[in-house]
Amino acid sequence: MAAAGYSGDPECYHSPLASRYASLEMCFLFSDRYKFQTWRQLWLWLAEAEQTLGLPITDEQIQEMKSNLNNIDFQMAAEEEKRLRHDVMAHVHTFGHCCPKAAGIIHLGATSCYVGDNTDLIILRSAFDLLLPKLARVISRLADFAKERADLPTLGFTHFQPAQLTTVGKRCCLWIQDLCMDLQNLKRVRDELRFRGVKGTTGTQASFLQLFEGDHQKVEQLDKMVTEKAGFKRAFIITGQTYTRKVDIEVLSVLASLGASVHKICTDIRLLANLKEMEEPFEKQQIGSSVMPYKRNPMRSERCCSLARHLMALIMDPLQTASVQWFERTLDDSANRRICLAEAFLTADTVLNTLQNISEGLVVYPKVIERRIREELPFMATENIIMAMVKAGGSRQDCHEKIRVLSQQAAAVVKQEGGDNDLIERIRADAYFSPIHSQLEHLLDPSSFTGRAPQQVHRFLEEEVYPLLKPYGSVMELKAELRL
């Protein structure tokens, strides 16, 4: 818990995302420790590059900064911020206190957003790097599930009403396809992240041009050197004081889209649990209800749906923030971004950990599925029966009318009397259908109603899913870290 910044004080509010749900690794990325260590690293990179390009910065000053990257006096920084009302300058002073020889060159030529925005971009990139293999593992687990059940017929639903048969594996591929799109989108946005770089107060690099006595080439080199030290391939050429807040829209858009995918998947699982066709993992000592001991509530799927709604809602923050950034910037983005960026990644981390846990323990009940098929299949088989009768020499119209009457009678038994669907028994008892009585068993074989579902599953996995997962092969066997 300490790594997640949780003090353990029961009289203080703690975000459930950090204290209860998200992984410690993701919590650490958004911690003060990681943030301020990165600030100091950025100050070091800036000083190193400025020294290389000829500014009077000594090796001793550089070494002093290197030796104190992790030596952060958080108490002093808090006192300085309270006094100065400026978080960056508070940490400049705190860093300078333990680096007295380098104090005069820390933050040289930079604006607050040099450390603030560039750190945010480093954190966003690292957060994507945590999410991507987790999403790949979820897809991998579901792909195993789909492959194993590619041929298992099940009743399809449109409008949550009985429809043509599909297979359990094919339905799972609907989930996988959405998650594959999310994986591609997360990777795209991660790879397109650009460094803010070394741009100065309003993005003009005027302060650095002054430092290098009007040498434009050295200013450009400085920007490029620090960008490369931070591990980015590109930096923005144009910025205001901040990088454009449309980047945050892109980031939260793909996370919100992931939230929609997870919500749909877990809603399907919850509905299937009600139908008793499928269940998420349920531990031996797990209690479903404090009053009803028989209950097996799909609490993991419910948690995913609950948090996915929050993830989807967060997109409104960067949309509105980007729309009100006057001219080169306003500070009304700051407090909002402290909340929405961290919460989006912590929430996405939680739902992926939980969904992986669900996908590793899904339980299917084939007998229940088979019974539901038997209840609905007679009605769905009527077209096949009509075609068989026509092939045996019957009239399509006469057969249609016969089946219409028998179907209405069978439906009345089901709906008004609560009985079983006896349409096939009625057809067997009607001499009109005697030419095809011997074919009825074959005509009612569920596998003949699933079309190319099994073939689609295997082709989809081989051509689209497995190639997409190949870069993540080394992490596929890791288990989910499921917290409370």
Side-chain angles (χ1 to χ4, degrees), residues 85-239:
R85 305 300 298 171
H86 197 289
D87 57 348
V88 173
M89 286 308 299
H91 278 270
V92 168
H93 288 188
T94 303
F95 195 17
H97 180 75
C98 59
C99 299
K101 295 175 183 177
I105 56 95
I106 293 172
H107 199 66
L108 182 60
T111 185
S112 298
C113 287
Y114 165 70
V115 289
D117 272 27
N118 284 324
T119 291
D120 284 346
L121 290 161
I122 290 170
I123 291 172
L124 294 178
R125 182 182 61 185
S126 298
F128 275 125
D129 287 342
L130 275 181
L131 288 185
L132 284 164
K134 292 187 177 189
L135 177 51
R137 286 198 292 273
V138 170
I139 294 170
S140 175
R141 303 303 193 265
L142 291 174
D144 291 342
F145 179 89
K147 187 174 183 179
E148 185 178 343
R149 296 163 181 84
D151 302 308
L152 181 59
T154 189
L155 187 65
F157 291 96
T158 58
H159 315 276
F160 202 28
Q161 301 299 314
Q164 282 188 346
L165 300 192
T166 183
T167 69
V168 173
K170 170 66 186 299
R171 175 179 284 150
C172 184
C173 285
L174 296 176
W175 305 340
I176 295 171
Q177 182 167 251
D178 288 351
L179 294 176
C180 285
M181 293 174 67
D182 294 318
L183 185 67
Q184 291 170 308
N185 286 331
L186 263 66
K187 183 69 165 60
R188 172 184 55 79
V189 172
R190 183 258 182 235
D191 290 346
E192 289 178 357
L193 286 174
R194 282 189 277 176
F195 205 48
R196 179 193 176 271
V198 183
K199 296 298 191 298
T201 305
T202 57
T204 64
Q205 299 177 303
S207 57
F208 296 104
L209 193 62
Q210 185 176 359
L211 278 174
F212 289 104
E213 299 180 346
D215 191 328
H216 289 268
Q217 186 177 1
K218 283 192 174 181
V219 174
E220 288 198 4
Q221 284 182 292
L222 178 71
D223 201 358
K224 183 179 179 182
M225 288 172 67
V226 176
T227 298
E228 289 176 350
K229 285 175 181 288
F232 283 83
K233 295 179 180 178
R234 295 188 303 159
F236 285 102
I237 297 173
I238 296 294
T239 73

Side-chain angles (χ1 to χ4, degrees), residues 185-426:
N185 286 331
L186 263 66
K187 183 69 165 60
R188 172 184 55 79
V189 172
R190 183 258 182 235
D191 290 346
E192 289 178 357
L193 286 174
R194 282 189 277 176
F195 205 48
R196 179 193 176 271
V198 183
K199 296 298 191 298
T201 305
T202 57
T204 64
Q205 299 177 303
S207 57
F208 296 104
L209 193 62
Q210 185 176 359
L211 278 174
F212 289 104
E213 299 180 346
D215 191 328
H216 289 268
Q217 186 177 1
K218 283 192 174 181
V219 174
E220 288 198 4
Q221 284 182 292
L222 178 71
D223 201 358
K224 183 179 179 182
M225 288 172 67
V226 176
T227 298
E228 289 176 350
K229 285 175 181 288
F232 283 83
K233 295 179 180 178
R234 295 188 303 159
F236 285 102
I237 297 173
I238 296 294
T239 73
Q241 190 172 86
T242 67
Y243 68 76
T244 171
R245 295 310 184 215
K246 283 185 73 67
V247 172
D248 297 344
I249 295 175
E250 287 286 301
V251 169
L252 264 68
S253 288
V254 294
L255 296 180
S257 183
L258 171 64
S261 301
V262 173
H263 200 293
K264 183 265 192 291
I265 293 167
C266 290
T267 299
D268 283 356
I269 293 171
R270 292 165 65 189
L271 293 170
L272 290 168
N274 174 266
L275 297 173
K276 298 181 175 59
E277 293 188 10
M278 182 186 292
E279 283 183 345
E280 65 178 38
F282 197 90
E283 297 169 23
K284 289 184 179 180
Q285 301 299 316
Q286 184 173 331
I287 294 175
S289 168
S290 61
V291 179
M292 296 167 280
Y294 61 87
K295 292 196 77 179
R296 294 169 67 94
N297 299 333
M299 51 82 68
R300 291 171 176 82
S301 298
E302 290 172 316
R303 177 191 299 176
C304 283
C305 287
S306 182
L307 291 172
R309 288 201 303 275
H310 179 57
L311 183 55
M312 289 185 280
L314 286 172
I315 184 57
M316 291 307 300
D317 278 345
L319 281 170
Q320 296 187 60
T321 294
S323 73
V324 297
Q325 287 301 286
W326 305 344
F327 304 114
E328 279 63 52
R329 80 86 51 102
T330 67
L331 194 60
D332 64 349
D333 64 337
S334 179
N336 186 287
R337 294 177 71 253
R338 289 175 191 267
I339 298 168
C340 72
L341 293 178
E343 289 209 350
F345 278 97
L346 266 64
T347 304
D349 182 70
T350 301
V351 297
L352 287 178
N353 284 338
T354 310
L355 187 57
Q356 181 185 333
N357 178 265
I358 292 169
S359 63
E360 289 170 347
L362 283 173
V363 179
V364 175
Y365 296 106
K367 293 297 182 184
V368 178
I369 293 173
E370 185 182 331
R371 185 184 68 214
R372 184 157 285 112
I373 290 174
R374 285 199 309 268
E375 290 172 353
E376 300 293 342
L377 192 58
F379 293 138
M380 297 178 191
T382 54
E383 185 66 19
N384 287 10
I385 292 171
I386 292 173
M387 292 301 100
M389 280 293 295
V390 171
K391 287 180 181 179
S395 162
R396 192 263 178 202
Q397 271 59 254
D398 292 344
C399 185
H400 182 279
E401 179 59 20
K402 284 277 187 180
I403 288 184
R404 186 190 69 80
V405 172
L406 295 179
S407 296
Q408 296 294 336
Q409 293 170 355
V413 171
V414 173
K415 295 178 181 179
Q416 297 174 18
E417 301 175 18
D420 294 332
N421 187 334
D422 62 358
L423 175 59
I424 300 303
E425 284 70 22
R426 292 175 185 273

Side-chain angles (χ1 to χ4, degrees), residues 39-78:
W39 282 14
R40 291 190 175 191
Q41 185 65 68
L42 282 159
W43 282 320
L44 173 61
W45 287 333
L46 179 63
E48 288 175 334
E50 288 174 335
Q51 181 197 45
T52 300
L53 293 170
L55 292 189
I57 295 172
T58 67
D59 290 342
E60 190 177 20
Q61 289 173 315
I62 295 293
Q63 187 55 50
E64 190 178 49
M65 293 173 72
K66 282 183 179 178
S67 300
N68 287 280
L69 289 177
N70 301 325
N71 180 25
I72 303 174
D73 186 338
F74 288 97
Q75 182 63 39
M76 179 182 178

